[in-house]
């Protein structure tokens, strides 16, 4: 399988950055961000190269769903199989791009099902240098929440980066089955902020930080957002708090 990608090379040598969107087919802000990067990145303005894959999971995109037509979640399928199902082949096609990169940014949203507080995350890598680079990238990307989580979660794009010791972050922006222009703007700025942090762009002023929470949680399954916590009874759930509200034990 061949992924549709664009490689933009700066006029001077520098790091190789990979940016992906559409690992899930119903996550739209990352796809628009990728298109904007392709349109607006000027090779004369940066060092190194930026490889952009706007829609990794085309099978899921054309179906309008999170998963591909084979029912597999691409974010649980890496490193994939070259002779497997369409999702396994997609994972296999993206894996070498991640392994060959110097740095990796994987853009996500909550899709049509979840509504996620804007965050940027990374695995708590065993290699201190990789872990430090990821912290720098996450801080520069500039989301409300910075979330470092278990490095033991397999099957993901960032687990491929983990094994290749490529510093990698991922981002989440709300969801709710739409494309929020604020999310596209935040993602576009976030990528440029990271490029500046990595020395790929000169003269870009650091943004005013919007980070409110920095959480690092190394417990088993930390970072696995799709774990379900079933209610003790059936019925209709009406939340008493909104996304981002503070809660305490007993609320």
């Amino acid at each position: 399988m061949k992924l549709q990608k664009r490689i933009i090379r700066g006029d001077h040598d520098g790091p190789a950055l990979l940016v992906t969107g559409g690992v899930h087919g119903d996550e739209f802000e990352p796809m628009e961000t990728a298109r904007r990067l392709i349109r607006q990145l000027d090779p004369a303005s940066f060092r190194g190269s930026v490889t952009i894959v706007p829609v990794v999971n085309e099978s899921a995109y054309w179906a309008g769903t999170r998963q591909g037509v084979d029912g597999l979640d691409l974010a649980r399928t890496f490193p994939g199989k070259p002779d497997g199902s369409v999702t396994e082949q997609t994972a296999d096609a993206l894996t070498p791009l991640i392994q060959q990169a110097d740095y990796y940014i994987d853009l996500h949203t909550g899709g049509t099902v979840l509504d996620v507080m804007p965050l940027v995350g990374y695995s708590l890598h065993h290699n201190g240098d990789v872990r430090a680079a990821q912290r720098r990238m996450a801080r520069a990307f500039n989301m409300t929440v910075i979330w470092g989580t278990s490095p033991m979660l397999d099957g993901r794009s960032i687990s491929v980066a983990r094994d290749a010791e490529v510093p990698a972050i991922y981002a989440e922006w709300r969801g709710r089955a739409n494309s929020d222009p604020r999310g596209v703007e935040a993602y576009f700025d976030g990528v440029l902020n990271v490029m500046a942090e990595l020395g790929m762009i000169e003269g870009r002023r650091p943004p005013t930080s919007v980070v409110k929470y920095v959480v690092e949680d190394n417990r088993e399954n930390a970072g696995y957002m799709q774990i379900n916590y079933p209610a003790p009874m059936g019925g209709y759930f009406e939340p008493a708090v909104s996304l981002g509200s503070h809660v305490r034990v007993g609320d």
Side-chain angles (χ1 to χ4, degrees):
M1 175 176 290
K2 186 175 181 180
L3 297 179
Q4 298 297 317
K5 65 181 184 292
R6 180 72 63 88
I7 303 174
I8 305 174
R9 303 186 189 279
D11 287 350
H12 302 281
D13 291 340
L17 174 66
L18 173 65
V19 181
T20 55
V23 165
H24 296 120
D26 61 351
E27 299 177 351
F28 308 117
E29 287 90 342
M31 302 174 192
E32 178 55 29
T33 301
R35 294 176 61 213
R36 185 173 170 187
L37 288 167
I38 290 170
R39 291 195 305 266
Q40 297 188 18
L41 273 182
D42 178 6
S45 69
F46 70 92
R47 300 175 182 273
S49 65
V50 183
T51 299
I52 304 166
V53 186
V55 185
V56 173
N57 196 344
E58 292 191 16
S59 166
Y61 173 73
W62 289 115
T65 58
R66 179 180 177 85
Q67 290 86 12
V69 294
D70 55 7
L72 296 180
D73 184 341
L74 179 56
R76 303 291 180 270
T77 308
F78 288 93
K81 299 177 182 177
D83 57 351
S85 68
V86 63
T87 301
E88 291 171 325
Q89 290 183 43
T90 301
D92 177 75
L94 182 60
T95 290
L97 295 183
I98 298 171
Q99 294 169 331
Q100 295 160 14
D102 294 319
Y103 300 94
Y104 178 36
I105 301 174
D106 190 13
L107 302 177
H108 288 264
T109 77
T112 57
V113 176
L114 302 176
D115 187 6
V116 184
M117 191 83 167
L119 68 85
V120 58
Y122 51 89
S123 71
L124 293 169
H125 203 284
H126 69 276
N127 184 316
D129 292 338
V130 173
R131 191 167 62 249
Q134 293 178 156
R135 286 171 174 157
R136 287 173 47 220
M137 293 167 68
R139 180 70 70 170
F141 199 88
N142 202 27
M143 292 279 106
T144 305
V145 179
I146 295 176
W147 196 23
T149 59
S150 170
M152 303 309 295
L153 300 177
D154 292 326
R156 305 178 176 212
S157 58
I158 63 168
S159 64
V160 173
R162 173 202 67 197
D163 294 343
E165 300 202 342
V166 174
I169 60 174
Y170 66 94
E172 301 278 358
W173 180 278
R174 304 300 299 258
R176 303 178 298 175
N178 64 5
S179 183
D180 184 348
R182 296 172 300 171
V184 175
E185 188 71 24
Y187 275 2
F188 182 80
D189 286 344
V191 172
L192 297 186
N193 293 340
V194 171
M195 291 177 67
E197 177 66 27
L198 299 176
M200 299 177 70
I201 296 176
E202 294 181 356
R204 182 176 174 84
R205 297 178 61 183
T208 300
S209 178
V210 300
V211 176
K212 292 184 178 180
Y213 310 102
V214 179
V215 179
E216 291 195 337
D217 185 352
N218 206 19
R219 292 174 296 177
E220 183 180 3
N221 285 328
Y224 186 6
M225 291 198 299
Q226 282 73 45
I227 289 179
N228 293 316
Y229 299 93
M233 63 191 74
Y236 174 79
F237 173 68
E238 183 176 356
V241 296
S242 59
L243 187 65
S245 296
H246 287 266
V247 295
R248 293 180 173 84
V249 174
D251 286 353

